[in-house]
Amino acid sequence: MDILLVSPPFGEGGQKSKGLPIAPPVLEYLTGLTNRVRPDVRVRVMDANKEGFDPEKVDEDLVGFTVLTPQAPWAYRQADALRKLGKKVILGGIHITALPEEAKQHADTIVLGEAESLWKEVLDDYDRGALKPVYSGELLPIDNLPRPVTNLWNTKYVYGYFQTSRGCHFRCSFCSVHKFFGGKVRMRPINDVVNEVAGSDRKLFWGIDDNIWGVNIDRSIELYREMSRTVRHKWWFGSADIVTMDNPKSTQLLKWARRAGLTAVLLGWESENPMSLDEYRATRKQGSKRRDAIKKIRDAGIDVMLFIMVGGRQDTLKDFDSIRTLCDDLKVAAHPVMTTPFPGTDLYEEYRPYLLPGLDWGSFDGNHATFTHDTLTPEQREDAVINLRADLFPTSKIIQRVLQISWRGFPMSHITSWMIQYPQGRAFKEYARGHRGPKTPA
Ligand code: B12
């Protein structure tokens, strides 16, 4: 049996683009899982970001798509076209799990939640001609996960990935993670993670945990200590909370994290506006002195980039400016995205009365306004995001920021800081140049 697994494009319109330098984690992982549960199945993977996608050119009779919310319109279109050609289509991922009734209309089968508990059954049922319309996964322990398969691509990627835990103990209202992967964090055994990273053919990674150090500081220290012993000449970045920097053990944590190859953290700053932080239920993870935390991390030789949401219902134009000031004062990079209420989150329910009519899910991509605001039009907010991003990444500012990282991280933290910031600045500029099409009607 043959199956094609597809990662949809991130851009509007599904155009073939240079794509991201990050290998799509789901596809590498699902290939590993398939090899384990049904080694006889031949898997082909396709990153539609890089390769484009033409349903007419698909040879396989079974096609699986992984779907995030902004990818749903594209994925549904391709799924409909494939089914007209007589192919069977399976849809899975966060958006499908959030809106199964919508997704069912475009698939022979939908997979809800995690795939480990059900993937063998799906493939066996397909073989018997007895695919069910819906399969629901359980949240199993994550011991002994299959390794991602990295050698199936037609294109090259700079970054691989690894995962050490699933779930999140914070309850931020905008976030899908605690809803879908559970509010109790499941950890992989340390040896599994270390062996996987050490055995990978890749050198640079994204640690895709939602919080690389905030769950259990002793476990994180132990993991990093073990990585520093076993993993040689590999570097990575990952997402983290700020409150962990209040912990007396954080100095030790940072030392081992850097030795384990951590070069940069994407910190969940979320907002400069205390009312928005409160609305997002993200105050608890900020800690007592969040500006000092940035300095502490960079002094340990690890770079910082802030993840920030703007344009929420509590925000005004002043809040966009305060991010410019914050980044200039602290010489720190930020990745601002438009506040977006994703289906299945608490924020979606809170913002439901204000959602703009006539939008399709493609607008839920962190670039577009998706709800009304008491004082700002959607266009004002979208322009403000574009202008803010354009202001944050001139080369002179990138260089100033790279120089803020302590010599302890030299040279890899400095090199990877540049590698993360420079392409991001270019992408933001490109987006600003080509933007401002009309909104897509539903
Ligand atoms: C890696 C990642 C990315 C990478 C993806 C890299 C790539 N090349 O594919 C990048 C950086 C591109 C990215 C971008 C975005 N992301 Co993101 N990202 C993640 C992250 C951290 C990990 C996802 C992952 O790969 N996990 C590892 C794989 C193995 O697990 P998995 O995807 O959950 O898959 C399992 C199941 O879901 C299931 N499954 C999934 N797909 C399929 C398909 C089939 C056929 C089957 C059978 C099973 C199946 O099986 C797997 C094993 O159990 C998650 C957070 C998280 N914890 O999930 C956020 C997350 C997925 N991202 C999210 C968001 C919001 C975004 C952005 C919109 C952010 C923004 N505002 O700019 C953009 C999307 C831009 C766009 N226009 O599409 C949200 C999704 C919300 C939603 N409703 O879609 C998440 C959950 C973060 C969050 N805090 O809420 N992201």
Side-chain angles (χ1 to χ4, degrees), residues 123-177:
L123 296 173
D124 290 350
D125 286 354
Y126 172 78
D127 263 351
R128 293 188 296 115
L131 267 182
K132 299 183 190 78
V134 184
Y135 295 81
S136 289
E138 292 168 51
L139 299 181
L140 298 178
I142 55 172
D143 298 359
N144 191 25
L145 291 183
R147 285 196 189 181
V149 177
T150 58
N151 62 358
L152 292 170
W153 299 108
N154 294 323
T155 54
K156 284 209 180 327
Y157 294 98
V158 182
Y159 302 98
Y161 79 96
F162 62 87
Q163 185 167 40
T164 93
S165 66
R166 281 189 195 166
C168 185
H169 66 295
F170 292 117
R171 297 289 179 271
C172 303
S173 65
F174 55 82
C175 181
S176 307
V177 170

Side-chain angles (χ1 to χ4, degrees), residues 310-311 320 324 336-339 366-368 379-391 431:
V310 283
F320 289 81
R324 284 187 182 83
V337 293
M338 186 78 84
T339 298
N367 300 317
H368 293 91
E379 288 72 23
Q380 279 173 314
R381 278 172 281 153
E382 289 172 6
D383 285 348
V385 172
I386 291 170
N387 293 336
L388 172 61
R389 288 171 174 173
D391 287 352
Y431 185 80

Side-chain angles (χ1 to χ4, degrees), residues 230-251:
T230 315
V231 180
R232 296 264 164 264
H233 306 301
K234 303 209 176 201
W235 296 273
W236 57 284
F237 61 94
S239 305
D241 67 22
I242 309 172
V243 66
T244 299
M245 291 302 111
D246 284 352
N247 190 305
K249 291 183 188 165
S250 57
T251 309

Side-chain angles (χ1 to χ4, degrees), residues 10 20 22-26 29-30 64-66 68-71 90 92-94 111 113-116 119 166 175-177 181 206 208 210 337 342 365-366:
F10 292 118
L20 284 171
I22 303 165
V26 198
Y29 179 76
L30 282 179
F65 290 87
T66 178
L68 298 183
T69 295
Q71 301 169 328
I90 305 180
I94 302 253
V111 165
E114 297 184 6
E116 287 77 2
W119 191 225
R166 281 189 195 166
C175 181
S176 307
V177 170
F181 302 97
W206 183 6
I208 57 168
D210 295 286
V337 293
F342 288 101
D365 62 353

Side-chain angles (χ1 to χ4, degrees), residues 152-422:
L152 292 170
W153 299 108
N154 294 323
T155 54
K156 284 209 180 327
Y157 294 98
V158 182
Y159 302 98
Y161 79 96
F162 62 87
Q163 185 167 40
T164 93
S165 66
R166 281 189 195 166
C168 185
H169 66 295
F170 292 117
R171 297 289 179 271
C172 303
S173 65
F174 55 82
C175 181
S176 307
V177 170
H178 61 99
K179 296 279 187 186
F180 291 90
F181 302 97
K184 186 169 176 294
V185 181
R186 288 163 289 153
M187 313 265 189
R188 293 181 71 188
I190 284 177
N191 277 343
D192 286 9
V193 178
V194 170
N195 293 336
E196 183 178 304
V197 179
S200 169
D201 51 1
R202 295 210 168 99
K203 293 271 179 228
L204 296 174
F205 297 85
W206 183 6
I208 57 168
D209 291 19
D210 295 286
N211 199 332
I212 57 165
W213 59 41
V215 185
N216 174 339
I217 195 164
D218 292 326
R219 186 261 189 184
S220 298
I221 291 172
E222 201 190 328
L223 170 66
Y224 300 148
R225 201 180 261 154
E226 207 42 53
M227 281 177 77
S228 69
R229 282 201 199 109
T230 315
V231 180
R232 296 264 164 264
H233 306 301
K234 303 209 176 201
W235 296 273
W236 57 284
F237 61 94
S239 305
D241 67 22
I242 309 172
V243 66
T244 299
M245 291 302 111
D246 284 352
N247 190 305
K249 291 183 188 165
S250 57
T251 309
Q252 206 191 342
L253 172 81
L254 290 171
K255 179 182 87 182
W256 288 110
R258 188 179 48 74
R259 290 187 186 175
L262 178 66
T263 63
V265 277
L266 317 175
L267 282 188
W269 195 267
E270 316 303 3
S271 181
E272 269 291 88
N273 176 348
M275 280 187 329
S276 294
L277 265 187
D278 207 37
E279 177 180 49
Y280 304 150
R281 293 205 306 273
T283 310
R284 183 159 75 87
K285 66 179 191 188
Q286 304 303 322
S288 58
K289 295 187 195 111
R290 56 182 191 162
R291 289 179 176 232
D292 292 351
I294 297 178
K295 184 169 175 343
K296 183 171 185 172
I297 298 169
R298 289 195 302 205
D299 284 352
I302 297 165
D303 194 24
V304 171
M305 176 174 289
L306 307 180
F307 261 54
I308 299 194
M309 290 181 297
V310 283
R313 287 195 35 89
Q314 311 289 331
D315 290 343
T316 64
L317 285 180
K318 263 202 219 130
D319 295 302
F320 289 81
D321 277 336
S322 62
I323 291 160
R324 284 187 182 83
T325 315
L326 170 78
C327 291
D328 285 348
D329 284 357
L330 300 184
K331 300 192 174 52
V332 67
H335 181 100
V337 293
M338 186 78 84
T339 298
T340 306
F342 288 101
T345 63
D346 293 334
L347 195 67
Y348 187 76
E349 295 311 321
E350 283 155 32
Y351 277 24
R352 196 192 272 269
Y354 310 106
L355 291 176
L356 290 170
L359 295 186
D360 78 6
W361 295 121
S363 300
F364 286 62
D365 62 353
N367 300 317
H368 293 91
T370 53
F371 47 85
T372 59
H373 186 282
D374 290 344
T375 57
L376 297 170
T377 65
E379 288 72 23
Q380 279 173 314
R381 278 172 281 153
E382 289 172 6
D383 285 348
V385 172
I386 291 170
N387 293 336
L388 172 61
R389 288 171 174 173
D391 287 352
L392 290 180
F393 285 92
T395 305
S396 57
K397 288 194 184 177
I398 299 178
I399 292 170
Q400 279 182 4
R401 292 175 201 143
V402 170
L403 295 175
Q404 296 300 307
I405 313 167
S406 148
W407 57 268
R408 288 188 175 89
F410 187 79
M412 284 313 288
S413 294
H414 301 75
I415 294 171
T416 53
S417 173
W418 177 266
M419 283 172 63
I420 295 170
Q421 289 190 64
Y422 185 71

